[in-house]
């Protein structure tokens, strides 16, 4: 029987010079993980919170610059009210528990989405930890909450239209840079690597503009089972890929040799 490699073995094979700057994760499968074990769906979300801790700590330790987690989509409001309420309570508890570690590790907490829709207690907890960690310089942890990619692009278009109508911007000046500057993620690099768990093969309205050139990675693991080793395996796969951005492989290799 082949012995599975442990975390240190996996990390020894990881080319840390080829890590993505910005990793985004669609954390899918919490409810299904719980149901398969005969547990309430909320138990799956609680187990998923442990995976969040593992992913955040591993990305910070390895030197990933930005990590964005799809925690709650605009569409998730349609879920049963009891489950939605439990999710917000779980987030509030997570924020309080992780505040000290984020401060110690230099992690700046960020949030994107229709944040005005969040329950008052959750919004207050979120604002407090964001303010407390604003000085973090080692990694940016972004939570996408009540988020939708199309909604973000629509809001960006409205902002630009208002600037044009006010005479602050000419229509011909609305270029890619202007659009990017109007997004929630204006202070973050584009997504390099998208991970989605639970075997689903779609992006679900997540960071549509920001993922234009991202590498995608899909795993059958439900998110509660996606811990340190699974993340390192995913990052190792990313490091093997050649990102061409429209160029040929030969051009990329020649540019790399010329560095």
């Amino acid at each position: 029987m082949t012995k599975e490699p442990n975390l240190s073995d996996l990390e020894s094979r990881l080319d840390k010079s080829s890590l993505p700057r910005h990793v985004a994760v669609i954390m899918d499968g919490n409810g299904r993980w719980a149901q398969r074990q005969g547990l309430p769906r909320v138990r799956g979300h609680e187990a998923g919170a442990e995976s969040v801790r593992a992913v955040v700590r591993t990305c910070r330790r390895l030197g990933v610059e930005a990590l964005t987690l799809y925690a709650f989509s605009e569409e998730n409001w349609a879920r049963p009210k009891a489950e939605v309420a439990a999710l917000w309570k779980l987030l509030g508890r997570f924020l309080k528990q992780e505040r000290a570690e984020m401060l110690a590790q230099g992690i700046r907490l960020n949030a994107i989405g229709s944040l005005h829709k969040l329950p008052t207690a959750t919004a207050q907890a979120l604002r407090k930890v964001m303010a407390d960690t604003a000085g973090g310089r080692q990694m940016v942890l972004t939570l996408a909450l009540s988020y939708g990619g199309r909604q973000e692009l629509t809001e960006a278009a409205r902002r630009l239209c208002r600037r044009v109508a006010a005479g602050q911007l000419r229509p011909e000046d609305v270029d890619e840079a202007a659009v990017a500057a109007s997004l929630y993620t204006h202070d973050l690099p584009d997504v390099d690597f998208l991970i989605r768990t639970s075997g689903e093969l779609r992006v679900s309205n997540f960071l549509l503009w920001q993922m234009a050139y991202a590498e995608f990675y899909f795993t059958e693991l439900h998110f509660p089972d996606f811990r340190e080793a699974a993340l390192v395996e995913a990052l190792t796969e990313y490091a093997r890929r050649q990102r061409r951005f429209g160029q040929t492989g030969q051009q990329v290799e020649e540019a790399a040799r010329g560095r």
Side-chain angles (χ1 to χ4, degrees), residues 60-101:
R60 166 66 183 88
R61 179 166 49 79
L62 293 175
V64 172
E65 180 179 328
L67 171 64
T68 299
L69 304 177
Y70 204 5
F72 193 91
S73 73
E74 274 285 281
E75 293 75 19
N76 286 156
W77 287 109
R79 290 189 174 187
K81 290 183 179 180
E83 181 177 347
V84 171
L87 281 168
W88 293 126
K89 287 181 181 178
L90 180 60
L91 175 59
R93 188 161 67 246
F94 175 87
L95 291 170
K96 291 174 183 176
Q97 291 172 344
E98 299 305 306
R99 172 185 172 277
E101 184 165 349

Side-chain angles (χ1 to χ4, degrees), residues 3-243:
K3 183 180 179 181
E4 292 187 6
N6 61 31
L7 183 59
S8 60
D9 289 337
L10 290 169
E11 286 194 22
S12 69
R13 303 171 194 172
L14 174 63
D15 180 2
K16 295 183 177 64
S17 68
S18 298
L19 287 171
R21 292 181 66 198
H22 188 173
V23 175
V25 184
I26 300 177
M27 306 180 295
D28 199 12
N30 289 343
R32 277 167 284 162
W33 178 90
Q35 288 174 328
R36 288 185 178 182
Q37 299 185 62
L39 299 171
R41 287 177 59 87
V42 68
R43 291 290 298 278
H45 297 305
E46 291 170 352
E50 293 302 316
S51 290
V52 169
R53 290 185 178 93
V55 169
V56 172
R57 289 170 179 168
T58 304
C59 283
R60 166 66 183 88
R61 179 166 49 79
L62 293 175
V64 172
E65 180 179 328
L67 171 64
T68 299
L69 304 177
Y70 204 5
F72 193 91
S73 73
E74 274 285 281
E75 293 75 19
N76 286 156
W77 287 109
R79 290 189 174 187
K81 290 183 179 180
E83 181 177 347
V84 171
L87 281 168
W88 293 126
K89 287 181 181 178
L90 180 60
L91 175 59
R93 188 161 67 246
F94 175 87
L95 291 170
K96 291 174 183 176
Q97 291 172 344
E98 299 305 306
R99 172 185 172 277
E101 184 165 349
M102 283 190 270
L103 286 168
Q105 293 297 323
I107 298 172
R108 175 169 69 87
L109 181 67
N110 183 37
I112 59 174
S114 300
L115 303 181
H116 64 279
K117 295 183 180 180
L118 272 58
T120 301
T122 304
Q124 289 175 343
L126 181 65
R127 284 195 297 268
K128 174 172 175 47
V129 180
M130 288 174 62
D132 290 347
T133 62
R137 295 291 180 268
Q138 299 305 311
M139 188 177 83
V140 180
L141 169 61
T142 300
L143 302 180
L145 301 167
S146 190
Y147 174 86
R150 288 184 174 181
Q151 292 88 333
E152 180 183 19
L153 290 170
T154 300
E155 288 187 26
R158 287 178 183 147
R159 292 190 193 98
L160 292 169
C161 287
R162 284 195 289 268
R163 291 184 62 194
V164 170
Q168 300 170 349
L169 191 69
R170 298 179 303 168
E172 55 268 31
D173 293 331
V174 179
D175 55 11
E176 289 189 15
V179 174
S182 300
L183 299 174
Y184 299 142
T185 56
H186 58 86
D187 58 346
L188 295 174
D190 280 344
V191 174
D192 297 303
F193 192 37
L194 169 74
I195 298 170
R196 180 164 189 157
T197 58
S198 85
E200 303 292 349
L201 306 178
R202 54 182 179 271
V203 298
S204 295
N205 200 22
F206 185 44
L207 299 175
L208 300 177
W209 175 280
Q210 298 88 337
M211 292 198 299
Y213 279 98
E215 296 291 324
F216 287 10
Y217 180 89
F218 300 103
T219 173
E220 295 290 331
L221 291 174
H222 293 312
F223 189 66
D225 293 325
F226 190 81
R227 299 292 170 94
E228 294 91 340
L231 175 60
V232 172
E233 288 182 329
L235 293 171
T236 300
E237 169 61 24
Y238 172 87
R240 294 191 189 107
R241 299 184 187 180
Q242 184 185 68
R243 304 188 72 201

